[in-house]
Amino acid sequence: MTDRINLSLTVNGKRENVCAAGISTLADMLRDTLGMTGTKIGCDAGDCGACTVLLDGEQVCACLVPVAQIEGRHVQTVEGSGPHGITDRLRTAFLDHGAAQCGICTPGMLMAATSLLARTPSPSRTAVEDALGGVLCRCTGYLKIIDAVVDAGTAVSAPQRRAPAAHEAAAHLVGRRIERVDGLAKVMGAEVFGADVAPADALWMRVIRSLHARATFVIADCAHLIAAHPGLSGVVTAVDVPGCNSFGIFPDTKDQPVFAADSVRFRGEAIAALVGSRHALAGISDADVPVRWTPLQALTGITAARAENAVPLHAARPDNVLTRGKLLRGNADAGHANAAATATGTFSTGFVEHAYIEPEAGFAVPDADGPGTMTIHASTQAPYMDRDEVARVLGVAPDKVRIVPTACGGGFGGKLDVAVQPLLAVAARKFGRAVRIVYNRTESMTSTTKRHPSHIEATASADAQGRLTAYSMQGDFNTGAYASWGPTVANRVPIHAAGPYKVPNVRNLTAAIHTHETPAGAFRGFGVPQSAIANETLMDDLAEKLGLDRWHIRRINALGRGDTTPTGQILHYSAGLPECLDALKPAWDKVNCAVTAHNAVNERRKRGVGIACMWYGCGNTSLSNPSAMRLTLDRCGTATLWSGAVDIGQGVSTVLVQIATDALNIAGLPVVLAATVGDTQTTLDAGKTSA
């Protein structure tokens, strides 16, 4: 039994006597012993700052402070009001400025800012940036957060303010700046994320993952392991999957197993899971699980996977090509041949991790909504897609699965794929009990999808005036071991690869390639950022060859209202690039003059200035985007919006309430948002939160 120690300390002004595990941290004690889950754990290594609290008034990462060091000390968390009400004042400023987006970093930001304002009541922006430097945010770009802290500092004696809440009666809410409907919970530390809650009797789950990129394996009888560790309920493997041991985004690419059965295709792939008490799991190492491995040569990188003698990862794709995409318009060869200038380049990009602050977490409860049902609470961007995937894995009808999204602490595309959901469902079904899981940061980064690495060869041509005559590219995208969103990347890139420009002749070809690497999926742009790197570099090269200003070559080619894209679409409405570039021109000229003047007199240290344009089509590429909402009206005249659109920080919950309020057009009628957004049992399918 882990040694435990008795502690006495003050938390938010209240004396607390606690008994905690001697090897635990201040973050563990706050969350697990006192139930104060406002303090978040993003990395458990002192890197992200989400767990920032004040210890005797000093800013610390609670995940790094051993509980043995907190006897008799004073701790302030986001749940408190802070010295002289500073934290409360900051809450108001955060709400006014919309500084809390997904909300996972907000508690840490508030505590770091509280520490600053306690020392420096009216700090400069530079001081604010320094004070918040230890707390990472992946949503905001920090500007609104910095504005809020500066505002709170300058309003020391001013009355507290709050923008009108979205449920308050107001005419024409659309276009008004109002308080987020989910903002208060975020700044109070009350928002419930995947790791914050689970049934008290839930078993814990820990996944055993491959250390090899490619290997075969055999798991021996685990009876001895179970007998040797009281509290270990059992081991879950592929044989425990009651339905199809595979999942994926598209009907014909459901190729990823919940648990690999006898071979693995990437390092980090799940082969089994331990289920039991948290204490029991902590006492078992992965090496204790009886697995016999036979490592094999892995295909790493696109070139290896496309080699003539490359072993196919999937029998159905013998050349390791998952899918191809293409866009052809006009005659690209003629467009290049007749041009005044041509630029060609080869470009490569690598894997990129989403690095959302909240690791994957959640819990599953069998039979919660009737015999044979499965209810899963987890962080997600796509609850209805999760529901259908889990139903497939369990071998049940979709209406037997309920997905209840927890608050999503950042997604950026990474939480469009299921992660913990099928694992939890299989374990909960096997043991007939609630099961919970929380990925650590290493596990999250090892096992979940990334941005697609790319290898792009592209050519752009223009006439003597700089007007584009042709663009062509071949782009290969490393989709990793399994399909995930590879087809979307392969088909979206050709549409966008020529950039937001008028190009009469286009030949864009792509391929998504399988390798023995982490699956690549959705990540802010579905491959378009990779192709934009190539396109914009070639635009600069053309400008240099033709002796044109880089702003100018983009302006004369910019797609405007009424222009036709390479796919033949006429942009009747949203096409603001020409106006954007015109607005930028004075600043562009000014900074270019400054750079030229600097470089003329400095031999060793030079300056540069760049310009780039990018476009991105919202929604599903060339597909319909169905979405449905439900409104109910109670006897008191309150309208409730039952929204299935998950808010991952982008603000859709607030915007939808604004739209619904204006659409009803009934003076004084309040519209409130249903408590659980995206619950597949109570809301209609509003599509996934992406694109």
Side-chain angles (χ1 to χ4, degrees), residues 481-515:
Y482 299 107
S484 182
W485 290 90
T488 302
V489 170
N491 285 285
R492 176 161 283 219
V493 168
I495 294 171
H496 294 79
Y501 305 116
K502 293 170 280 191
V503 191
N505 303 291
V506 174
R507 181 176 64 242
N508 293 333
L509 308 175
T510 59
I513 312 297
H514 281 302
T515 66

Side-chain angles (χ1 to χ4, degrees), residues 167-173 633 636-639 660-671:
H167 62 267
E168 296 174 7
H172 307 299
L173 280 183
L633 187 66
C636 299
T638 298
T661 299
D662 284 6
L664 289 174
N665 196 27
I666 302 175
L669 177 66
V671 176

